[in-house]
Amino acid sequence: MIIRTVVGGATVLRLLGTLDVHTTGRLRQVLTVDRRQDPVRVVLDCRWVGFLDSSDVNALVRLHCAARAASGWVRLVRVQPAVQRVIRLSGLEAVIDCYPTLEQVLHS
């Protein structure tokens, strides 16, 4: 499940559950809608995500590229250890910044 809100000019997507090949389509759909903003500022709240697979890593990289093209950014917040491991192993941490709290993201 994905809950979308807007906080401080950024779209915050609260991701709930497992992100895998079965949920990538929904994530892409939500991310595509948010790319219509200019500039694109997207925060992915991963507090309740216990798993992330390669299809979602690819979706996040595509979103990052689209956001940068629109003078924006994508940031991850409250990433759980299992997901952080995938982010580190995939090299995604070099592309998308991770923060411990939403407040830190919005004030960076």
Side-chain angles (χ1 to χ4, degrees):
M1 179 187 302
I2 301 170
I3 299 170
R4 183 185 177 280
T5 58
V6 177
V7 179
T11 298
V12 178
L13 300 176
R14 286 181 170 79
L15 310 173
L16 309 170
T18 298
L19 295 181
D20 58 20
V21 70
H22 303 291
T23 57
T24 299
R26 175 72 179 125
L27 179 60
R28 282 189 193 141
Q29 182 182 40
V30 171
L31 298 179
T32 300
V33 168
D34 291 304
R35 284 193 291 205
R36 295 184 190 138
Q37 294 174 222
D38 190 26
V40 175
R41 294 185 182 119
V42 179
V43 178
L44 300 170
D45 186 342
C46 300
R47 179 182 358 176
W48 297 289
V49 176
F51 180 79
L52 181 80
D53 77 2
S54 61
S55 59
D56 294 301
V57 169
N58 290 331
L60 294 175
V61 169
R62 283 191 298 278
L63 175 63
H64 166 75
C65 292
R68 287 197 54 173
S71 302
W73 46 255
V74 175
R75 302 203 171 128
L76 303 177
V77 65
R78 297 184 267 222
V79 179
Q80 298 303 306
V83 173
Q84 184 66 43
R85 184 171 187 269
V86 173
I87 289 170
R88 187 175 28 256
L89 291 172
S90 68
L92 189 60
E93 70 182 357
V95 177
I96 299 177
D97 293 328
C98 298
Y99 293 81
T101 69
L102 182 58
E103 292 76 25
Q104 288 177 325
V105 170
L106 297 175
H107 295 104
S108 64

